[in-house]
Amino acid sequence: VFVNTYTADSVTTETIMGTKTLFGRDMVANEFAFHFYKTDETFAIPNGVAPVYSTYNDARANGITDDLSFVALPFDRVGKYYYTIVEDQTPIAGVTLDTSKFNITIEVVDDTNGKLVVKELLVNGSANNEIAFVNTYTIDPTPFEFGGYKTLTGRDLAADEFTFNLY
Protein backbone atom coordinates (compact mmCIF):
# COMPACT_ATOMS: atom_id res chain seq x y z
CA VAL A 1 0.00 0.00 0.00
CA PHE A 2 1.36 3.35 -1.02
CA VAL A 3 0.20 6.53 0.66
CA ASN A 4 1.06 9.85 -0.86
CA THR A 5 0.65 13.07 1.01
CA TYR A 6 0.36 16.46 -0.60
CA THR A 7 1.14 19.62 1.29
CA ALA A 8 1.47 23.05 -0.27
CA ASP A 9 4.09 25.49 0.98
CA SER A 10 2.75 28.50 2.85
CA VAL A 11 2.65 31.97 1.33
CA THR A 12 3.26 35.45 2.72
CA THR A 13 1.60 38.51 1.25
CA GLU A 14 3.53 41.55 0.20
CA THR A 15 3.59 44.14 2.98
CA ILE A 16 0.27 45.95 2.98
CA MET A 17 0.94 49.66 2.57
CA GLY A 18 -1.01 52.87 3.10
CA THR A 19 -0.53 56.61 3.39
CA LYS A 20 -1.19 59.34 5.94
CA THR A 21 -1.48 63.08 5.23
CA LEU A 22 -2.16 65.94 7.64
CA PHE A 23 -3.13 69.35 6.26
CA GLY A 24 -2.94 72.54 8.37
CA ARG A 25 0.23 71.87 10.34
CA ASP A 26 3.25 69.60 10.53
CA MET A 27 2.69 66.01 11.62
CA VAL A 28 4.61 64.89 14.71
CA ALA A 29 6.11 61.37 14.75
CA ASN A 30 3.89 58.74 16.40
CA GLU A 31 1.00 61.19 16.66
CA PHE A 32 -1.43 58.94 14.78
CA ALA A 33 -1.95 55.21 15.31
CA PHE A 34 -3.41 52.75 12.81
CA HIS A 35 -4.81 49.36 13.78
CA PHE A 36 -5.07 46.21 11.67
CA TYR A 37 -7.80 43.81 12.91
CA LYS A 38 -8.68 40.25 11.88
CA THR A 39 -12.42 40.12 11.17
CA ASP A 40 -14.91 37.94 9.38
CA GLU A 41 -16.70 38.62 6.09
CA THR A 42 -18.86 41.31 7.78
CA PHE A 43 -15.70 43.31 8.59
CA ALA A 44 -17.09 44.09 12.04
CA ILE A 45 -14.34 44.71 14.59
CA PRO A 46 -15.12 42.59 17.66
CA ASN A 47 -15.34 44.55 20.93
CA GLY A 48 -12.35 44.13 23.20
CA VAL A 49 -10.20 42.37 20.60
CA ALA A 50 -6.63 43.58 20.23
CA PRO A 51 -5.41 44.43 16.74
CA VAL A 52 -3.21 41.94 14.90
CA TYR A 53 -0.84 44.80 14.16
CA SER A 54 -0.52 48.54 14.83
CA THR A 55 1.72 51.13 13.22
CA TYR A 56 2.38 54.84 13.69
CA ASN A 57 3.17 57.79 11.42
CA ASP A 58 6.55 59.44 10.88
CA ALA A 59 7.08 63.20 11.19
CA ARG A 60 6.15 65.09 8.02
CA ALA A 61 5.76 68.72 7.01
CA ASN A 62 2.30 70.18 6.49
CA GLY A 63 0.58 68.38 3.61
CA ILE A 64 3.42 65.93 2.95
CA THR A 65 2.28 62.30 2.72
CA ASP A 66 3.81 59.65 4.99
CA ASP A 67 4.03 56.04 3.79
CA LEU A 68 2.56 53.57 6.27
CA SER A 69 3.82 50.00 6.38
CA PHE A 70 1.25 47.65 7.89
CA VAL A 71 2.14 43.98 7.77
CA ALA A 72 3.02 41.03 5.53
CA LEU A 73 0.61 38.20 6.37
CA PRO A 74 1.60 34.52 6.34
CA PHE A 75 -0.97 31.89 5.27
CA ASP A 76 -0.67 28.13 5.52
CA ARG A 77 -4.20 27.22 4.37
CA VAL A 78 -6.45 27.82 1.40
CA GLY A 79 -9.32 30.21 2.11
CA LYS A 80 -10.62 33.75 2.28
CA TYR A 81 -9.32 35.97 5.04
CA TYR A 82 -10.75 39.28 6.22
CA TYR A 83 -9.13 42.24 7.95
CA THR A 84 -10.01 45.86 8.70
CA ILE A 85 -7.63 48.82 9.06
CA VAL A 86 -8.72 51.93 10.98
CA GLU A 87 -7.15 55.06 12.42
CA ASP A 88 -7.17 55.32 16.21
CA GLN A 89 -9.93 57.74 17.24
CA THR A 90 -8.24 59.23 20.32
CA PRO A 91 -8.95 62.99 20.06
CA ILE A 92 -6.11 65.32 19.04
CA ALA A 93 -6.73 69.04 19.64
CA GLY A 94 -7.74 70.83 16.44
CA VAL A 95 -7.49 67.68 14.28
CA THR A 96 -10.42 66.19 12.40
CA LEU A 97 -9.81 62.44 12.66
CA ASP A 98 -10.22 60.21 9.63
CA THR A 99 -13.01 57.69 10.27
CA SER A 100 -12.30 55.67 7.12
CA LYS A 101 -12.48 51.91 7.43
CA PHE A 102 -10.45 49.87 4.95
CA ASN A 103 -11.75 46.32 4.56
CA ILE A 104 -9.18 43.83 3.27
CA THR A 105 -10.14 40.55 1.60
CA ILE A 106 -7.37 38.06 0.80
CA GLU A 107 -8.04 34.86 -1.10
CA VAL A 108 -5.39 32.14 -0.84
CA VAL A 109 -5.46 29.20 -3.27
CA ASP A 110 -3.33 26.13 -4.00
CA ASP A 111 -1.53 26.39 -7.34
CA THR A 112 -1.40 22.54 -7.46
CA ASN A 113 2.38 22.77 -7.86
CA GLY A 114 3.05 22.61 -4.16
CA LYS A 115 2.59 26.28 -3.30
CA LEU A 116 -0.12 28.42 -1.83
CA VAL A 117 -0.57 31.72 -3.65
CA VAL A 118 -2.50 34.89 -2.98
CA LYS A 119 -5.06 34.87 -5.77
CA GLU A 120 -6.66 38.16 -4.79
CA LEU A 121 -6.09 41.03 -2.37
CA LEU A 122 -8.92 43.57 -2.33
CA VAL A 123 -9.31 46.82 -0.38
CA ASN A 124 -12.96 47.80 0.05
CA GLY A 125 -13.81 45.41 -2.77
CA SER A 126 -11.35 46.94 -5.24
CA ALA A 127 -8.06 45.65 -6.60
CA ASN A 128 -6.51 49.16 -6.53
CA ASN A 129 -5.50 48.51 -2.88
CA GLU A 130 -5.47 52.20 -1.93
CA ILE A 131 -5.37 52.86 1.80
CA ALA A 132 -5.14 56.60 2.46
CA PHE A 133 -5.87 58.41 5.73
CA VAL A 134 -6.23 62.21 5.55
CA ASN A 135 -6.68 64.63 8.44
CA THR A 136 -7.08 68.38 8.70
CA TYR A 137 -5.89 70.65 11.48
CA THR A 138 -7.83 73.84 12.05
CA ILE A 139 -7.59 76.49 14.71
CA ASP A 140 -10.84 77.63 16.25
CA PRO A 141 -11.02 81.43 16.09
CA THR A 142 -10.66 83.15 19.43
CA PRO A 143 -13.20 85.93 19.92
CA PHE A 144 -11.65 89.28 20.73
CA GLU A 145 -13.43 92.46 21.59
CA PHE A 146 -11.65 95.77 21.44
CA GLY A 147 -13.12 98.76 23.15
CA GLY A 148 -12.19 102.38 23.58
CA TYR A 149 -13.54 105.88 23.85
CA LYS A 150 -12.88 109.31 22.40
CA THR A 151 -12.72 112.48 24.44
CA LEU A 152 -13.10 115.89 22.80
CA THR A 153 -12.35 119.02 24.78
CA GLY A 154 -13.89 122.42 23.99
CA ARG A 155 -17.11 121.35 22.25
CA ASP A 156 -19.62 118.51 22.04
CA LEU A 157 -18.76 115.40 20.07
CA ALA A 158 -21.03 114.86 17.03
CA ALA A 159 -22.14 111.34 16.14
CA ASP A 160 -19.92 109.60 13.54
CA GLU A 161 -17.59 112.61 13.43
CA PHE A 162 -14.45 110.53 13.86
CA THR A 163 -13.40 107.12 12.50
CA PHE A 164 -10.72 104.88 13.90
CA ASN A 165 -8.67 102.16 12.23
CA LEU A 166 -6.90 99.33 13.98
CA TYR A 167 -3.65 98.14 12.34
Side-chain angles (χ1 to χ4, degrees), residues 102-113:
F102 295 96
N103 298 320
I104 313 295
T105 303
I106 300 171
E107 184 176 4
V108 176
V109 297
D110 186 334
D111 73 355
T112 67
N113 290 313

Side-chain angles (χ1 to χ4, degrees), residues 3 47 51 53 69 126 132 142 158 161-162 166:
V3 177
N47 288 333
Y53 183 80
S69 195
S126 172
T142 302
E161 182 177 0
F162 294 95
L166 182 61

Side-chain angles (χ1 to χ4, degrees), residues 6-69:
Y6 174 80
T7 305
D9 293 338
S10 63
V11 64
T12 300
T13 64
E14 295 291 321
T15 299
I16 296 172
M17 302 292 292
T19 60
K20 172 65 177 177
T21 309
L22 175 63
F23 293 101
R25 70 165 171 81
D26 292 349
M27 187 166 31
V28 178
N30 301 319
E31 182 173 23
F32 297 94
F34 308 90
H35 304 299
F36 193 99
Y37 291 94
K38 182 164 181 39
T39 63
D40 61 19
E41 65 276 356
T42 67
F43 298 106
I45 299 171
N47 288 333
V49 172
V52 172
Y53 183 80
S54 291
T55 191
Y56 300 86
N57 67 284
D58 292 327
R60 292 288 184 266
N62 178 15
I64 302 299
T65 298
D66 179 29
D67 292 324
L68 301 173
S69 195

